[in-house]
Short mmCIF file of all heavy atoms in Angstrom, two decimals:
data_model
loop_
_atom_site.label_atom_id
_atom_site.label_comp_id
_atom_site.label_asym_id
_atom_site.label_seq_id
_atom_site.Cartn_x
_atom_site.Cartn_y
_atom_site.Cartn_z
N TYR A 1173 67.56 9.80 -99.98
CA TYR A 1173 66.81 8.60 -99.92
C TYR A 1173 66.10 8.51 -98.49
O TYR A 1173 66.33 9.32 -97.63
CB TYR A 1173 67.70 7.29 -99.94
CG TYR A 1173 68.83 7.33 -99.01
CD1 TYR A 1173 68.72 6.81 -97.69
CD2 TYR A 1173 70.10 7.85 -99.33
CE1 TYR A 1173 69.68 6.89 -96.77
CE2 TYR A 1173 71.15 7.93 -98.44
CZ TYR A 1173 70.95 7.47 -97.14
OH TYR A 1173 72.02 7.46 -96.26
N TRP A 1174 65.07 7.69 -98.51
CA TRP A 1174 64.35 7.31 -97.26
C TRP A 1174 63.88 5.92 -97.37
O TRP A 1174 63.60 5.44 -98.52
CB TRP A 1174 63.28 8.29 -96.80
CG TRP A 1174 62.14 8.36 -97.74
CD1 TRP A 1174 61.90 9.46 -98.62
CD2 TRP A 1174 61.00 7.58 -98.01
NE1 TRP A 1174 60.72 9.34 -99.35
CE2 TRP A 1174 60.22 8.12 -98.98
CE3 TRP A 1174 60.61 6.28 -97.37
CZ2 TRP A 1174 59.02 7.47 -99.43
CZ3 TRP A 1174 59.46 5.65 -97.80
CH2 TRP A 1174 58.71 6.25 -98.84
N ILE A 1175 63.87 5.13 -96.26
CA ILE A 1175 63.48 3.78 -96.20
C ILE A 1175 62.37 3.70 -95.18
O ILE A 1175 62.54 4.30 -94.11
CB ILE A 1175 64.67 2.82 -95.82
CG1 ILE A 1175 65.86 3.05 -96.74
CG2 ILE A 1175 64.12 1.42 -95.67
CD1 ILE A 1175 65.67 2.57 -98.14
N GLY A 1176 61.30 2.94 -95.47
CA GLY A 1176 60.28 2.76 -94.43
C GLY A 1176 60.88 2.10 -93.16
O GLY A 1176 61.69 1.26 -93.28
N GLU A 1177 60.43 2.52 -92.00
CA GLU A 1177 60.94 2.02 -90.73
C GLU A 1177 61.02 0.58 -90.57
O GLU A 1177 62.07 0.04 -90.07
CB GLU A 1177 60.33 2.72 -89.59
CG GLU A 1177 61.06 2.39 -88.29
CD GLU A 1177 60.42 3.13 -87.09
OE1 GLU A 1177 59.36 3.64 -87.15
OE2 GLU A 1177 61.09 3.13 -86.03
N PRO A 1178 60.06 -0.19 -91.05
CA PRO A 1178 60.16 -1.61 -90.84
C PRO A 1178 61.31 -2.27 -91.57
O PRO A 1178 61.75 -3.44 -91.33
CB PRO A 1178 58.79 -2.16 -91.46
CG PRO A 1178 57.90 -1.03 -91.38
CD PRO A 1178 58.74 0.20 -91.58
N TYR A 1179 62.00 -1.55 -92.46
CA TYR A 1179 63.05 -2.13 -93.33
C TYR A 1179 64.40 -1.49 -93.01
O TYR A 1179 65.41 -1.74 -93.66
CB TYR A 1179 62.70 -1.84 -94.81
CG TYR A 1179 61.32 -2.23 -95.08
CD1 TYR A 1179 60.26 -1.40 -95.18
CD2 TYR A 1179 60.97 -3.66 -95.13
CE1 TYR A 1179 58.89 -1.81 -95.32
CE2 TYR A 1179 59.69 -4.10 -95.31
CZ TYR A 1179 58.62 -3.14 -95.41
OH TYR A 1179 57.37 -3.55 -95.64
N TRP A 1180 64.55 -0.79 -91.86
CA TRP A 1180 65.77 -0.25 -91.44
C TRP A 1180 66.65 -1.39 -90.98
O TRP A 1180 66.20 -2.37 -90.45
CB TRP A 1180 65.57 0.70 -90.31
CG TRP A 1180 64.89 2.04 -90.69
CD1 TRP A 1180 64.50 2.38 -91.86
CD2 TRP A 1180 64.53 3.06 -89.82
NE1 TRP A 1180 63.88 3.65 -91.87
CE2 TRP A 1180 63.91 4.09 -90.60
CE3 TRP A 1180 64.67 3.33 -88.45
CZ2 TRP A 1180 63.48 5.28 -90.05
CZ3 TRP A 1180 64.25 4.44 -87.89
CH2 TRP A 1180 63.64 5.43 -88.70
N GLY A 1181 67.99 -1.26 -91.11
CA GLY A 1181 68.98 -2.12 -90.58
C GLY A 1181 69.09 -3.46 -91.27
O GLY A 1181 69.61 -4.47 -90.84
N LYS A 1182 68.55 -3.55 -92.53
CA LYS A 1182 68.62 -4.77 -93.34
C LYS A 1182 69.44 -4.67 -94.55
O LYS A 1182 69.44 -5.59 -95.38
CB LYS A 1182 67.10 -5.11 -93.75
CG LYS A 1182 66.19 -5.27 -92.65
CD LYS A 1182 64.77 -5.77 -93.05
CE LYS A 1182 63.76 -5.90 -91.90
NZ LYS A 1182 64.19 -6.54 -90.73
N GLY A 1183 70.20 -3.50 -94.60
CA GLY A 1183 71.17 -3.41 -95.81
C GLY A 1183 70.52 -2.89 -97.06
O GLY A 1183 71.19 -2.75 -98.06
N ILE A 1184 69.20 -2.57 -96.99
CA ILE A 1184 68.56 -2.12 -98.19
C ILE A 1184 69.08 -0.70 -98.64
O ILE A 1184 69.33 -0.54 -99.89
CB ILE A 1184 67.01 -2.06 -97.91
CG1 ILE A 1184 66.53 -3.56 -97.72
CG2 ILE A 1184 66.32 -1.40 -99.07
CD1 ILE A 1184 65.05 -3.67 -97.24
N ALA A 1185 69.15 0.15 -97.75
CA ALA A 1185 69.63 1.51 -98.11
C ALA A 1185 71.05 1.41 -98.66
O ALA A 1185 71.40 2.15 -99.62
CB ALA A 1185 69.48 2.45 -96.93
N SER A 1186 71.94 0.64 -98.03
CA SER A 1186 73.27 0.50 -98.51
C SER A 1186 73.35 -0.03 -99.90
O SER A 1186 74.11 0.49 -100.76
CB SER A 1186 74.08 -0.38 -97.53
OG SER A 1186 74.21 0.24 -96.25
N GLU A 1187 72.60 -1.01 -100.15
CA GLU A 1187 72.68 -1.61 -101.52
C GLU A 1187 71.98 -0.63 -102.55
O GLU A 1187 72.52 -0.38 -103.69
CB GLU A 1187 71.90 -2.89 -101.55
CG GLU A 1187 71.96 -3.57 -102.94
CD GLU A 1187 71.27 -4.99 -103.02
OE1 GLU A 1187 70.98 -5.55 -102.00
OE2 GLU A 1187 71.14 -5.39 -104.14
N ALA A 1188 70.94 0.02 -102.15
CA ALA A 1188 70.32 1.00 -103.07
C ALA A 1188 71.32 2.09 -103.33
O ALA A 1188 71.46 2.65 -104.52
CB ALA A 1188 69.01 1.55 -102.53
N ALA A 1189 71.96 2.58 -102.30
CA ALA A 1189 72.97 3.70 -102.50
C ALA A 1189 74.09 3.26 -103.45
O ALA A 1189 74.57 3.93 -104.28
CB ALA A 1189 73.58 4.05 -101.15
N ARG A 1190 74.59 2.01 -103.26
CA ARG A 1190 75.66 1.51 -104.19
C ARG A 1190 75.25 1.54 -105.63
O ARG A 1190 75.96 1.99 -106.49
CB ARG A 1190 76.07 0.14 -103.69
CG ARG A 1190 77.19 -0.50 -104.52
CD ARG A 1190 77.49 -1.94 -104.21
NE ARG A 1190 76.39 -2.81 -104.25
CZ ARG A 1190 75.75 -3.28 -105.39
NH1 ARG A 1190 76.31 -2.91 -106.53
NH2 ARG A 1190 74.77 -4.06 -105.31
N VAL A 1191 74.07 0.93 -105.87
CA VAL A 1191 73.51 0.86 -107.20
C VAL A 1191 73.30 2.30 -107.78
O VAL A 1191 73.63 2.56 -108.98
CB VAL A 1191 72.11 0.07 -107.26
CG1 VAL A 1191 71.50 0.18 -108.58
CG2 VAL A 1191 72.45 -1.34 -106.89
N THR A 1192 72.74 3.18 -106.98
CA THR A 1192 72.56 4.58 -107.45
C THR A 1192 73.90 5.31 -107.77
O THR A 1192 74.00 6.05 -108.76
CB THR A 1192 71.69 5.35 -106.47
OG1 THR A 1192 70.47 4.63 -106.25
CG2 THR A 1192 71.38 6.72 -106.95
N VAL A 1193 74.89 5.06 -106.90
CA VAL A 1193 76.24 5.69 -107.14
C VAL A 1193 76.80 5.23 -108.50
O VAL A 1193 77.28 5.95 -109.29
CB VAL A 1193 77.17 5.43 -105.98
CG1 VAL A 1193 78.60 5.65 -106.34
CG2 VAL A 1193 76.75 6.30 -104.81
N GLU A 1194 76.66 3.92 -108.71
CA GLU A 1194 77.15 3.27 -109.97
C GLU A 1194 76.42 3.89 -111.15
O GLU A 1194 76.98 4.16 -112.20
CB GLU A 1194 77.10 1.75 -109.87
CG GLU A 1194 78.09 1.16 -108.96
CD GLU A 1194 77.84 -0.38 -108.75
OE1 GLU A 1194 76.92 -1.01 -109.37
OE2 GLU A 1194 78.54 -0.89 -107.91
N PHE A 1195 75.13 4.02 -111.00
CA PHE A 1195 74.29 4.69 -112.06
C PHE A 1195 74.81 6.10 -112.39
O PHE A 1195 74.94 6.43 -113.49
CB PHE A 1195 72.80 4.61 -111.72
CG PHE A 1195 71.96 5.43 -112.55
CD1 PHE A 1195 71.64 5.00 -113.90
CD2 PHE A 1195 71.36 6.59 -112.13
CE1 PHE A 1195 70.77 5.71 -114.74
CE2 PHE A 1195 70.50 7.31 -112.91
CZ PHE A 1195 70.24 6.88 -114.20
N ALA A 1196 74.97 6.91 -111.28
CA ALA A 1196 75.37 8.29 -111.43
C ALA A 1196 76.75 8.28 -112.16
O ALA A 1196 76.83 9.22 -113.16
CB ALA A 1196 75.50 8.93 -110.08
N PHE A 1197 77.69 7.57 -111.83
CA PHE A 1197 79.04 7.76 -112.40
C PHE A 1197 79.14 6.95 -113.70
O PHE A 1197 79.71 7.51 -114.72
CB PHE A 1197 80.07 7.27 -111.44
CG PHE A 1197 80.32 8.21 -110.29
CD1 PHE A 1197 80.15 7.73 -108.98
CD2 PHE A 1197 80.69 9.49 -110.44
CE1 PHE A 1197 80.31 8.59 -107.90
CE2 PHE A 1197 80.82 10.39 -109.42
CZ PHE A 1197 80.65 10.00 -108.17
N ASP A 1198 78.60 5.73 -113.82
CA ASP A 1198 78.94 4.87 -114.90
C ASP A 1198 77.95 5.06 -116.04
O ASP A 1198 78.23 4.82 -117.22
CB ASP A 1198 78.92 3.42 -114.55
CG ASP A 1198 79.98 3.04 -113.41
OD1 ASP A 1198 80.86 3.84 -113.33
OD2 ASP A 1198 79.87 2.00 -112.84
N ILE A 1199 76.71 5.52 -115.74
CA ILE A 1199 75.73 5.68 -116.83
C ILE A 1199 75.48 7.19 -117.16
O ILE A 1199 75.53 7.62 -118.28
CB ILE A 1199 74.36 5.07 -116.47
CG1 ILE A 1199 74.50 3.57 -116.12
CG2 ILE A 1199 73.29 5.29 -117.53
CD1 ILE A 1199 75.02 2.73 -117.19
N LEU A 1200 75.25 8.00 -116.08
CA LEU A 1200 75.01 9.46 -116.35
C LEU A 1200 76.33 10.22 -116.60
O LEU A 1200 76.23 11.33 -117.08
CB LEU A 1200 74.29 10.00 -115.12
CG LEU A 1200 72.87 9.48 -114.86
CD1 LEU A 1200 72.31 10.19 -113.67
CD2 LEU A 1200 72.06 9.70 -116.06
N GLY A 1201 77.46 9.72 -116.10
CA GLY A 1201 78.75 10.41 -116.29
C GLY A 1201 78.96 11.59 -115.42
O GLY A 1201 79.64 12.51 -115.69
N THR A 1202 78.29 11.48 -114.24
CA THR A 1202 78.39 12.47 -113.21
C THR A 1202 79.85 12.66 -112.75
O THR A 1202 80.54 11.61 -112.60
CB THR A 1202 77.51 12.09 -112.03
OG1 THR A 1202 76.15 11.91 -112.43
CG2 THR A 1202 77.63 13.18 -110.93
N ALA A 1203 80.34 13.86 -112.49
CA ALA A 1203 81.60 14.15 -112.09
C ALA A 1203 81.70 14.05 -110.53
O ALA A 1203 82.82 13.67 -109.96
CB ALA A 1203 82.08 15.51 -112.53
#
């Protein structure tokens, strides 16, 4: 991932990572 600098430190990357991890394991079935 990358986030534009004006949006650093606002929890955006953490939330996006959480949603993507859930997608990877729960939808794609990634091991």
Side-chain angles (χ1 to χ4, degrees):
Y1173 54 88
W1174 59 259
I1175 305 293
E1177 188 174 13
Y1179 311 102
W1180 292 359
K1182 299 182 184 316
I1184 295 169
S1186 295
E1187 184 175 348
R1190 181 188 54 76
V1191 171
T1192 304
V1193 164
E1194 289 171 3
F1195 170 70
F1197 289 120
D1198 300 345
I1199 306 297
L1200 296 180
T1202 301

